[in-house]
Amino acid sequence: MQLLWVVVVVVLGVFGAEGEEALSLFHRHTTMIFAIEEINNSSSLLPNMSIGYRIYDSCGLTLSSMRAVMALMNGQERTVGKTCSGQSAVHAIIGASDSSSTIVMSRSTGAFQIPVISHLATCACLSNRKEFPSFFRTIPSDFYQSRALAQLVKYFGWTWVGAVRSDNAYGNNGMATFVEAAGVEGVCIEYSEAILWNNPREKIARVVEVISRASSKVVVAFLSQWEMAVLLEEALAQNLTGLQWVGSESWITIDRLATRRSSAVLSGTLGFAISKSKIPGLREFLLRVGPAQDPNNTLLREFWETTFSCRFSSQEEKDSGPRQSQCSGSERLEEISNPFTDTSELRFSINVYKAVYAVAHSIHDLLTCRHGEGQGGNRNCAHRDNIEPGQVLRYLRDVNFTMKSGERVYFDENGDPTAIYELVNWQRDQAGETVFVTVGNYNGEGVSRCCIVFQRPRSVCSDSCLPGFRQSEIKGMPVCCFSCIPCAAGEISNLTAKCTQCSLEYWSNGDKSRCVPKVVEFLSFDETMGILLAAISMVGACLTIVVSLVFFCFRETPIVKASNSELSFLLLFSLTLCFLCSLNFIGRPSEWSCMLRHTAFGITFALCMSCVLAKTIAVVIAFQATMPGNTVPQCSIPLQRISVFSCTLLQVVICVLWLALAPSVPFRNTAHATEKVILECDVGSAIGFWAVLGYIGLLALLCFVLAFLARKLPDNFNEAKFISFSMLIFCAVWITFIPAYVSSPGKFTVAVEIFAILASSFGLLFCIFGPKCYIIFLKPERNTKKHIMGKGHAKSQ
């Protein structure tokens, strides 16, 4: 039968281990032997071949591990003569039980391509394939656990935590990854202390004092079980209570730490543990363990003496004490309740079992030429008499099998298994004993099924800012320590660290917790200003209609006839339209109202100015024609109509071109005012807008010039004088309108334009028609042809 060496380096009797610690080590050692015997008895896996093994005790010391590995590589190992018929090279090493020793071992064996499979080394640094090309492990890397711990503390809202770590590769690398992940999650570290199990008590006491003085209420302990035991003793001595502990997989499920005495400190502890599993047939194998199997096994003898409270020798205790019965070796384990035979929750021993089977499957694949199409595509099958460690290493990279429990075992490109953890919470049962309750899972992406009912402490440096406030860093403090500053206008925050700007159409509400649609502002009929301007417009229109009725009733009187009644009625009609067109500027702008408001205003005022211009020309010509020797014919009515029509038509052409090329459209102005949306009419073409106003101004200027030249005409009723005054008011209003229009914000721009329309319309109405109505109603004696023509006629004589 061919012998294949698998040298297993496990930690036995570490630091004088005793009790539960020694029991756990012996359990892993026995599980490894069970796996090898199970493989050797298998007819499907490595048939007609046997795996041999040798166990070394590293004593938890890096130097001891190194010495064992060098002895193996130098060929100084010895075989177990009674279990094999020959001697073979070492094909794989399983171990060690800590990261520091494994790092030294892997660096030494990497150059010789001897695969190292660890069942407990979790340091993320071992995933570096360039530095550790021959390393594999059956326990997840701390790369995932550290991130899981960061996500866990963030899940419970603990953003201000303390940290304690083992001062070795396991603790330092794991904590470094945790700190990095915590920073991403927004968790700050108040303090970070490092200890070792053999540090002086003064140093351990100082670390406990740092924890007790800190303001954070959560402690993340990335410690091995030995460092945690030392720290726990000092914490109990200083009565360190009221803290929430978050632990790593190394100690979170260690029974000797979860006692009634330690519950005062560690009650409610949370942490991630290696997933538990079951190994069929292991319990029956453990029950058959006895001193008769290996009488020279010191660890087995110690286990037997401790379990059955007996001794194999008759030597009495040196100190006075009760005598112990002598062990016969025939005691039965099934007759007692012992953690050694409890296989319901295998967390670490299962990793040893997986490691042995991984090596066996890789050798089996090598001998049967499986996966030959793998790396390189040209692997050579090995003969059972000539198997090299490098060949086992290459096939180990592609090993992929399913255990009896249904769990799939394989390694990624870094030699790591799938990261699967259980979230464990320390709870008390009805008897008051601490039990480990699985409350969630972690699969490398996030925590699932996390349902924990316990009194969670608050552990924050600064309370979260209220809605409407943002965080402001305090100089010299971590980012978790901040002050709260109100958000600026138009910004919101809802339990977030920063204020966010609302979009253009939205604005912050009163407490700046959410964005609400901006107030849409326009001059409406519902507000005071709109009502007042609409009322004045209607009063002006009604007053103009009243004047028209008065003129119609007194159309046969001299003063009405003298003022050219046809032009007067046309002027009154245009003034009515001027008053009414201002109503189009009030209300919500629409596409039609925007196109109508400026064009209607421009055409009606052009008609109005055309009538005034015709009236002014008529007055000048009429009085000039009555003077002796003047050959200028009297102004005919058709000429007046043509001038009015021509002047108005030109404005109509300007407005049509404006509407055709760039009409005025509704526009939501968000730039002028940040807190509101101004709904206004965009003029479309500034040239068209100012052309309309400019043409009206040109007509008004001509009227003013002609009326000013006619100011010395006979003054019994000199209409030119009143026209001149009305044009003076008209020009003053619209000259003032330009800067007011440009500088007025929002709806006041429209109000200014309406005011200019109303003021100029009232100026024309009162200045031109006011004096005539005064004579008609209050001075009827002047409403005679003789009085009107008196002075002028005398001068002409």
Side-chain angles (χ1 to χ4, degrees):
M1 181 177 287
Q2 177 69 32
L3 172 66
L4 300 177
W5 268 115
V6 178
V7 180
V8 182
V9 181
V10 293
V11 181
L12 302 179
V14 180
F15 322 134
E18 56 185 18
E20 181 190 341
E21 186 176 328
L23 183 64
S24 176
L25 297 172
F26 183 57
H27 193 283
R28 296 198 291 270
H29 154 250
T30 310
T31 302
M32 181 272 300
I33 297 175
F34 168 75
I36 292 177
E37 291 190 6
E38 194 175 49
I39 293 169
N40 290 341
N41 295 327
S42 173
S43 60
S44 59
L45 185 61
L46 292 178
N48 301 321
M49 299 190 70
S50 294
I51 297 179
Y53 62 89
R54 185 171 182 82
I55 300 175
Y56 287 85
D57 183 3
S58 69
C59 299
L61 300 176
T62 302
L63 182 60
S64 299
S65 300
M66 187 64 185
R67 185 182 297 116
V69 171
M70 295 305 296
L72 290 171
M73 292 188 297
N74 290 332
Q76 299 174 2
E77 75 280 0
R78 291 177 297 174
T79 61
V80 182
K82 71 173 186 177
T83 59
C84 58
S85 59
Q87 182 173 332
S88 175
V90 176
H91 298 94
I93 299 176
I94 297 177
S97 297
D98 65 287
S99 295
S100 297
S101 298
T102 305
I103 289 172
V104 174
M105 284 172 41
S106 299
R107 282 176 177 162
S108 302
T109 59
F112 299 92
Q113 293 189 327
I114 300 177
V116 175
I117 309 176
S118 177
H119 57 287
L120 283 180
T122 59
C123 180
C125 60
L126 288 165
S127 297
N128 186 345
R129 263 293 178 249
K130 293 182 178 180
E131 191 172 357
F132 306 102
S134 63
F135 175 77
F136 300 85
R137 55 181 151 198
T138 54
I139 188 171
S141 167
D142 285 336
F143 175 85
Y144 301 100
Q145 181 183 196
S146 299
R147 280 160 174 74
L149 290 172
Q151 293 177 20
L152 182 65
V153 296
K154 181 63 176 180
Y155 176 85
F156 289 108
W158 300 324
T159 58
W160 187 237
V161 301
V164 184
R165 69 187 187 276
S166 297
D167 195 8
N168 52 28
Y170 168 75
N172 292 330
N173 284 276
M175 185 56 67
T177 306
F178 170 77
V179 171
E180 179 184 353
V184 175
E185 297 289 342
V187 178
C188 296
I189 312 300
E190 183 180 9
Y191 58 87
S192 181
E193 298 292 333
I195 62 172
L196 278 176
W197 67 273
N198 56 358
N199 284 150
R201 183 179 178 182
E202 292 75 15
K203 182 175 181 179
I204 306 297
R206 183 192 64 79
V207 171
V208 174
E209 289 176 2
V210 170
I211 297 173
S212 63
R213 290 197 305 265
S215 60
S216 57
K217 300 300 180 183
V218 176
V219 182
V220 178
F222 216 100
L223 301 167
S224 69
Q225 55 178 302
W226 303 289
E227 275 84 37
M228 187 61 201
V230 173
L231 184 66
L232 176 60
E233 286 300 321
E234 186 61 33
L236 289 169
Q238 296 191 25
N239 193 26
L240 182 65
T241 59
L243 298 178
Q244 174 66 50
W245 291 80
V246 179
S248 60
E249 102 294 335
S250 178
W251 66 270
I252 196 64
T253 54
I254 302 301
D255 290 327
R256 69 186 182 91
L257 298 177
T259 62
R260 290 194 178 187
R261 178 168 170 262
S262 65
S263 62
V265 176
L266 299 179
S267 178
T269 293
L270 282 170
F272 289 101
I274 303 302
S275 296
K276 56 189 175 183
S277 183
K278 293 184 178 181
I279 302 176
L282 177 60
R283 187 173 188 278
E284 291 74 13
F285 181 82
L286 296 176
L287 290 174
R288 294 195 299 269
V289 170
Q293 294 179 345
D294 189 359
N296 297 323
N297 192 327
T298 305
L299 184 62
L300 176 56
R301 292 170 61 88
E302 292 178 359
F303 161 70
W304 204 262
E305 290 177 347
T306 302
T307 301
F308 293 100
S309 300
C310 62
R311 294 189 63 84
F312 280 100
S313 63
S314 60
Q315 182 182 359
E316 297 183 0
E317 296 289 341
K318 294 182 179 180
D319 299 331
S320 58
R323 291 174 59 90
Q324 290 182 315
S325 61
Q326 188 168 350
C327 298
S328 64
S330 59
E331 293 86 359
R332 298 175 60 85
L333 288 172
E334 61 264 25
E335 294 178 355
I336 63 172
S337 176
N338 191 283
F340 176 74
T341 58
D342 183 10
T343 60
S344 59
E345 293 189 4
L346 299 176
R347 297 186 186 273
F348 298 109
S349 296
I350 186 65
N351 292 331
V352 178
Y353 186 81
K354 292 177 185 177
V356 174
Y357 263 87
V359 174
H361 274 277
S362 64
I363 297 175
H364 184 83
D365 293 341
L366 171 63
L367 295 175
T368 57
C369 300
R370 281 193 179 182
H371 311 298
E373 69 280 2
Q375 298 174 353
N378 56 353
R379 292 182 181 174
N380 296 321
C381 300
H383 190 271
R384 64 178 60 198
D385 295 327
N386 187 25
I387 299 177
E388 297 295 333
Q391 294 175 309
V392 179
L393 173 63
R394 288 191 292 273
Y395 273 84
L396 195 58
R397 291 168 183 162
D398 292 333
V399 73
N400 193 329
F401 63 94
T402 302
M403 295 173 35
K404 294 179 182 179
S405 61
E407 184 179 355
R408 185 180 166 207
V409 178
Y410 64 95
F411 303 107
D412 63 12
E413 64 275 8
N414 297 320
D416 296 328
T418 303
I420 299 177
Y421 295 96
E422 291 181 358
L423 179 59
V424 174
N425 180 220
W426 289 20
Q427 300 179 8
R428 289 188 179 183
D429 57 13
Q430 294 181 351
E433 299 292 339
T434 300
V435 293
F436 306 132
V437 180
T438 300
V439 295
N441 302 96
Y442 182 85
N443 59 1
E445 296 180 358
V447 180
S448 61
R449 196 173 63 83
C450 182
C451 48
I452 306 171
V453 181
F454 68 101
Q455 188 68 29
R456 297 197 297 264
R458 281 177 51 81
S459 186
V460 295
C461 183
S462 300
D463 290 325
S464 299
C465 294
L466 296 173
F469 291 82
R470 66 174 178 87
Q471 297 178 3
S472 177
E473 293 184 9
I474 301 175
K475 189 176 181 180
M477 296 292 288
V479 294
C480 299
C481 303
F482 50 82
S483 58
C484 296
I485 297 178
C487 293
E491 296 180 342
I492 64 165
S493 70
N494 191 6
L495 302 179
T496 56
K498 297 180 179 180
C499 297
T500 55
Q501 183 71 42
C502 294
S503 59
L504 288 177
E505 296 289 335
Y506 290 83
W507 194 250
S508 54
N509 60 351
D511 57 3
K512 299 177 182 177
S513 61
R514 60 189 180 93
C515 291
V516 295
K518 285 184 178 180
V519 176
V520 179
E521 181 184 84
F522 58 90
L523 187 61
S524 68
F525 289 101
D526 298 329
E527 57 182 303
T528 304
M529 184 185 298
I531 294 172
L532 184 61
L533 291 175
I536 295 174
S537 176
M538 293 304 298
V539 168
C542 293
L543 193 59
T544 306
I545 294 173
V546 170
V547 173
S548 300
L549 293 175
V550 170
F551 266 54
F552 181 77
C553 294
F554 292 92
R555 63 184 178 278
E556 299 298 334
T557 60
I559 195 168
V560 176
K561 290 182 177 181
S563 61
N564 195 330
S565 57
E566 183 176 344
L567 283 177
S568 295
F569 283 115
L570 188 59
L571 178 58
L572 288 169
F573 172 72
S574 64
L575 282 175
T576 304
L577 294 179
C578 288
F579 281 116
L580 294 177
C581 80
S582 62
L583 297 176
N584 197 37
F585 287 81
I586 306 174
R588 189 181 189 90
S590 64
E591 187 175 351
W592 284 103
S593 66
C594 286
M595 289 191 294
L596 185 62
R597 62 171 54 174
H598 288 108
T599 54
F601 153 72
I603 293 173
T604 54
F605 261 81
L607 176 62
C608 181
M609 290 297 100
S610 300
C611 292
V612 174
L613 180 61
K615 182 182 283 287
T616 306
I617 294 174
V619 170
V620 172
I621 293 177
F623 278 101
Q624 291 294 329
T626 58
M627 298 190 68
N630 199 337
T631 59
V632 180
Q634 293 186 4
C635 181
S636 64
I637 291 178
L639 183 60
Q640 297 175 22
R641 294 173 179 172
I642 292 173
S643 63
V644 172
F645 177 77
S646 300
C647 293
T648 306
L649 180 62
L650 184 57
Q651 183 73 303
V652 171
V653 170
I654 295 174
C655 291
V656 169
L657 290 175
W658 183 14
L659 293 177
L661 298 176
S664 179
V665 292
F667 172 66
R668 299 175 69 87
N669 189 346
T670 58
H672 192 279
T674 55
E675 73 281 1
K676 57 188 175 182
V677 176
I678 300 174
L679 194 57
E680 60 187 11
C681 288
D682 184 13
V683 295
S685 172
I687 296 176
F689 175 73
W690 292 110
V692 169
L693 290 183
Y695 182 70
I696 295 173
L698 178 63
L699 294 178
L701 183 62
L702 289 175
C703 292
F704 175 73
V705 171
L706 291 175
F708 181 78
L709 293 176
R711 70 188 184 280
K712 294 184 178 180
L713 294 176
D715 56 359
N716 267 5
F717 183 76
N718 189 353
E719 193 174 23
K721 182 168 56 179
F722 300 114
I723 292 175
S724 177
F725 189 67
S726 67
M727 288 299 100
L728 186 62
I729 296 176
F730 186 91
C731 292
V733 168
W734 285 100
I735 290 173
T736 308
F737 159 79
I738 293 174
Y741 179 84
V742 173
S743 60
S744 297
K747 61 184 179 182
F748 296 102
T749 303
V750 180
V752 167
E753 194 166 359
I754 295 174
F755 176 79
I757 293 172
L758 296 178
S760 56
S761 299
F762 274 112
L764 290 173
L765 179 64
F766 289 144
C767 291
I768 295 177
F769 296 98
K772 299 174 183 177
C773 292
Y774 172 78
I775 292 174
I776 291 174
F777 289 108
L778 300 179
K779 298 293 182 179
E781 66 275 8
R782 297 183 183 178
N783 191 7
T784 60
K785 184 176 181 181
K786 179 180 178 180
H787 182 268
I788 291 174
M789 300 298 294
K791 281 187 178 183
H793 183 72
K795 289 181 180 180
S796 64
Q797 293 298 324

